[in-house]
Amino acid sequence: MAEIDGTNGNGNHGGVVLDIKDNYPSSSSIKEVSVLNFYVPFMQKLVAEIAGTYFLIFAGCSSVAVNLNFDKVVTLPGISITWGLAVMVLVYSVGHISGAHFNPAVTLAFATCKRFPWKQVPAYVACQVIGATLAAGTIRLLFQGDQDHFTGTMPAGSNLQSFVVEFIITFYLMFIISGVATDNRAIGELAGLAVGSTVLLNVMFAGPISGASMNPARSLGPAIVSHQYKGLWIYIVSPILGAQAGAWVYNLIRYTDKPLREITKSASFLNGKESS
């Protein structure tokens, strides 16, 4: 405690002398508490990213493996739905903990738009790659011998075709993420549904062309486990560029954080036109 001493002395005529006792926390203990308050939540975020990426890749790539091994029983629509549902449920389950990136391209795009701290980017990316690699390794242990099929992504046609397709679908994905997750005028409760549906749509039409990765970790994990690196650079470079473009284009059209009612001066666009 700090006690107030009203006696004169040591040149403090009628002044106040603060006598600091030892029961105040020391500067070292305060520093330890502040460090702990930073590292514990951050470690929770990293664990969420590893677990989320693991379950996402495990579910999506398992649907591919089952489809290859059991007479196309899952089908392309089934694979698309699996990826979309996996993204949706994971966004709702750990989105409030880590942001539910599960994707190095998304993390980098948020960082360049100053919506994510750069100092956390390396750890996030590392955790995403670790989660994807562990998931791919689990799938390879489950499907051995004749059932061991490559569940990664490779161009079905030319490299240029897959590069352009990956750029477009990742642009589309990041554009949607920016709208529902970073704009306070959006309906935040529907973020998981919107992002999951976007992934479903992209896999549906782009899957037969490029594999519809949209995620460097999704392609890198199976490639590391199976040692198949054909065209891997496409799935690293193109999604990163596409995500950057999608985030920045949305930022260009965002232009304000004001609510819709204040922008239109009315409850709806229709009423706004009538009043004008």
Side-chain angles (χ1 to χ4, degrees):
M1 292 291 292
E3 296 180 351
I4 299 178
D5 185 2
T7 60
N8 297 334
N10 297 326
N12 292 292
H13 301 287
V16 177
V17 178
L18 294 181
D19 185 14
I20 307 298
K21 301 297 184 181
D22 292 336
N23 57 348
Y24 258 134
S26 64
S27 59
S28 61
S29 63
I30 294 175
K31 184 177 181 181
E32 289 176 0
V33 171
S34 63
V35 170
L36 186 64
N37 288 337
F38 170 76
Y39 278 110
V40 170
F42 184 55
M43 291 303 297
Q44 292 171 336
K45 292 179 181 181
L46 298 184
V47 172
E49 283 296 301
I50 292 177
T53 308
Y54 177 91
F55 291 126
L56 171 62
I57 303 305
F58 180 79
C61 290
S62 290
S63 69
V64 175
V66 171
N67 193 59
L68 292 173
N69 286 309
F70 298 97
D71 300 325
K72 310 293 183 182
V73 65
V74 182
T75 71
L76 176 61
I79 294 173
S80 304
I81 293 171
T82 301
W83 282 106
L85 287 178
V87 170
M88 183 184 70
V89 298
L90 287 168
V91 167
Y92 285 128
S93 60
V94 298
H96 55 285
I97 299 175
S98 67
H101 293 187
F102 313 142
N103 187 337
V106 171
T107 301
L108 288 169
F110 278 141
T112 58
C113 294
K114 298 182 180 180
R115 295 188 175 275
F116 189 78
W118 274 105
K119 63 182 179 181
Q120 295 184 14
V121 169
Y124 258 58
V125 172
C127 288
Q128 291 155 2
V129 174
I130 290 171
T133 304
L134 291 175
T138 303
I139 293 172
R140 194 169 188 189
L141 288 175
L142 292 174
F143 298 94
Q144 297 182 351
D146 295 338
Q147 292 185 337
D148 183 14
H149 294 282
F150 180 56
T151 59
T153 51
M154 287 192 297
S158 67
N159 286 348
L160 179 60
Q161 183 187 48
S162 292
F163 188 94
V164 173
V165 168
E166 286 294 322
F167 180 91
I168 293 173
I169 61 178
T170 313
F171 178 103
Y172 179 31
L173 174 63
M174 193 66 210
F175 188 87
I176 300 300
I177 292 174
S178 297
V180 299
T182 69
D183 198 327
N184 57 14
R185 293 169 295 172
I187 303 174
E189 292 79 4
L190 299 181
L193 180 61
V195 176
S197 299
T198 304
V199 172
L200 188 157
L201 289 171
N202 286 343
V203 175
M204 185 78 74
F205 74 85
I209 301 172
S210 66
S213 174
M214 299 169 278
N215 184 341
R218 181 264 180 270
S219 297
L220 191 57
I224 292 173
V225 171
S226 300
H227 304 290
Q228 296 194 35
Y229 303 102
K230 179 183 177 182
L232 182 61
W233 67 272
I234 296 172
Y235 302 100
I236 296 176
V237 177
S238 186
I240 291 176
L241 295 178
Q244 298 289 331
W248 280 99
V249 168
Y250 188 85
N251 279 344
L252 288 176
I253 67 171
R254 181 196 307 268
Y255 78 88
T256 181
D257 289 329
K258 294 181 180 180
L260 181 62
R261 182 184 296 272
E262 185 175 344
I263 295 172
T264 60
K265 305 298 182 182
S266 174
S268 69
F269 285 109
L270 180 60
N271 291 336
K273 289 179 181 178
E274 290 175 351
S275 62
S276 60

